[in-house]
Amino acid sequence: MKALLLSGGSGTRLRPITHTSAKQLVPVANKPVLFYGLEAIAQAGVTEVGIVVGDTAEEIREAVGDGSAFGLDVTYLPQSAPLGLAHAVLIAREFLGEEDFVMYLGDNFVLGGITALVDAFRVERPDAHILLTPVANPTAFGVAELDASGRVVGLEEKPRQPKSDLALVGVYLFTPAVHEAVRAIKPSGRGELEIADALQWMIDAGRDVRSTTISGYWKDTGNVSDMLEVNRSVLETLERRIDGAVDGRSELIGRVRVEAGAKVTGSRIVGPVVIGAHTVIADSYVGPFTSIAENCRIEDSEIEYSIVLRDSSVRGVRRVEASLIGRNVEVTPAPRKPAAHRLVLGDHSKVQISS
């Protein structure tokens, strides 16, 4: 069995972060989202992985390398444009050969991994097996319709009038039967080859398409609020470890991880919190569900329920919360006089100002 890991796409919902970084490499608990998918694939006993890459290919290659760090053998599969999940299967045809495979969306997060799902598929081998989960906004997802017996009878991508609230989770298992389906379908109104259409083609052709509705934790990390929620979920499992330096004036409460080379002075940290290597926390408060990456500086400030990427600083700021702060960012107080806000904002930015 092989794996197809999708890491193309432009990450428009995470702009401006994704103007300069691949969305799959935005960290959760100081580890890129993509790495959780690679680890889940390795844990399921799959070793040959094709990573579909687009405009951010070089960044993905630099981060993942040949896959040996994860116990994997990685092949990179360039995709000229994000033309749909079924298109990714189409361009991966030579890599996949006649093997069964699991397709995993690189910006998705499934708590608990996929090992049980893969093991069951190896035994039962339906033509396709999909994961479903109830969502509050099914119009934003591929949606499945089940009959009274729980059999999949219909699938539709981002329907205007959903027939259920069951969204397709970004993990799919296929036998080689899917290759005929992806060749048979036409681009949707969005100009993409939709995996929902390929699955519908298989159903109409009498293929065995099964589903599992998961009760565990799943998130599409495509926007800031979901990133913060996934970060919270992962930090809930954090184990306390202090490898850096913490002075006697500091107080660390609960599950706090301070990486080697980090320094905490005169500060109060309430876990779960992870402090990256060589980061300095001075005279500050860091509240629960916060991840601060390496080489950062938090000084005379308060921050909670946030993600701070590497090489950034927050100095003299009274309160930061529910925020995603990119790389090499400086956050400082505005001058008191004149009483004005001075902003330099990129496209698609969102700013909230206390007047």
Side-chain angles (χ1 to χ4, degrees):
M1 193 172 192
K2 294 183 177 180
L4 192 62
L5 185 62
L6 275 55
S7 297
S10 55
T12 54
R13 291 177 295 158
L14 274 174
R15 288 177 178 168
I17 298 291
T18 49
H19 280 307
T20 54
S21 179
K23 64 178 179 177
Q24 298 86 4
L25 296 181
V26 176
V28 168
N30 285 2
K31 181 164 66 176
V33 172
L34 182 66
F35 288 13
Y36 291 96
L38 289 166
E39 290 170 353
I41 289 167
Q43 288 164 5
V46 179
T47 58
E48 291 186 70
V49 181
I51 301 183
V52 177
V53 292
D55 292 343
T56 59
E58 287 308 310
E59 193 177 4
I60 300 292
R61 285 175 183 270
E62 184 179 349
V64 177
D66 62 2
S68 58
F70 303 90
L72 301 171
D73 180 10
V74 166
T75 300
Y76 292 95
L77 306 170
Q79 187 180 30
S80 58
L83 297 175
L85 304 188
H87 181 262
V89 176
L90 199 63
I91 66 168
R93 182 68 179 91
E94 183 178 350
F95 166 76
L96 293 169
E98 295 303 314
E99 298 275 355
D100 295 350
F101 66 98
V102 55
M103 183 167 73
Y104 196 114
L105 273 57
D107 59 352
N108 276 220
F109 183 86
V110 181
L111 190 64
I114 59 171
T115 301
L117 181 73
V118 170
D119 288 346
F121 186 83
R122 282 186 167 119
V123 173
E124 299 170 8
R125 292 197 73 236
D127 294 304
H129 195 123
I130 58 177
L131 288 184
L132 305 173
T133 193
V135 295
N137 56 333
T139 57
F141 299 93
V143 173
E145 179 186 4
L146 308 183
D147 65 14
S149 65
R151 186 169 60 94
V152 183
V153 294
L155 291 137
E156 190 174 1
E157 184 66 29
K158 295 181 172 61
R160 292 184 178 180
Q161 295 182 321
K163 295 180 180 178
S164 81
D165 65 348
L166 294 175
L168 286 161
V169 172
V171 179
Y172 309 79
L173 294 114
F174 294 110
T175 67
V178 71
H179 296 303
E180 183 181 3
V182 299
R183 288 195 304 269
I185 61 173
K186 303 297 182 184
S188 66
R190 302 192 305 160
E192 297 186 7
L193 292 177
E194 310 285 3
I195 200 66
D197 292 344
L199 287 161
Q200 185 65 57
W201 188 94
M202 295 177 76
I203 292 169
D204 294 341
R207 295 290 191 173
D208 184 5
V209 177
R210 303 183 190 178
S211 70
T212 297
T213 301
I214 62 172
S215 56
Y217 186 85
W218 166 80
K219 276 289 183 182
D220 170 5
T221 60
N223 59 48
V224 173
S225 60
D226 284 341
M227 283 293 303
L228 293 172
E229 177 60 18
V230 171
N231 194 60
R232 181 202 63 77
S233 178
V234 175
L235 287 177
E236 287 277 20
T237 67
L238 190 73
E239 294 184 4
R240 182 182 174 98
R241 194 179 76 231
I242 311 300
D243 293 332
V246 179
D247 76 352
R249 297 186 300 121
S250 296
E251 182 182 18
L252 275 55
I253 300 171
R255 297 188 304 277
V256 176
R257 188 169 73 205
V258 181
E259 300 286 5
K263 183 183 295 186
V264 179
T265 61
S267 297
R268 187 170 189 259
I269 301 178
V270 180
V273 166
V274 58
I275 307 297
H278 306 292
T279 281
V280 174
I281 311 293
D283 302 315
S284 295
Y285 166 77
V286 180
F289 309 118
T290 302
S291 297
I292 302 173
E294 66 271 20
N295 299 313
C296 292
R297 188 173 188 92
I298 311 297
E299 185 176 329
D300 191 26
S301 298
E302 299 180 9
I303 185 167
E304 184 171 308
Y305 192 63
S306 294
I307 299 172
V308 182
L309 276 59
R310 61 177 173 83
D311 302 312
S312 292
S313 63
V314 180
R315 290 184 170 96
V317 179
R318 184 178 61 185
R319 185 76 172 180
V320 175
E321 62 181 29
S323 298
L324 175 57
I325 297 173
R327 298 175 296 183
N328 293 288
V329 170
E330 293 184 7
V331 181
T332 58
R336 292 186 177 273
K337 294 184 182 299
H341 300 289
R342 185 177 180 219
L343 308 173
V344 179
L345 303 175
D347 297 346
H348 308 285
S349 293
K350 292 184 179 180
V351 176
Q352 292 181 321
I353 296 174
S354 298
S355 302

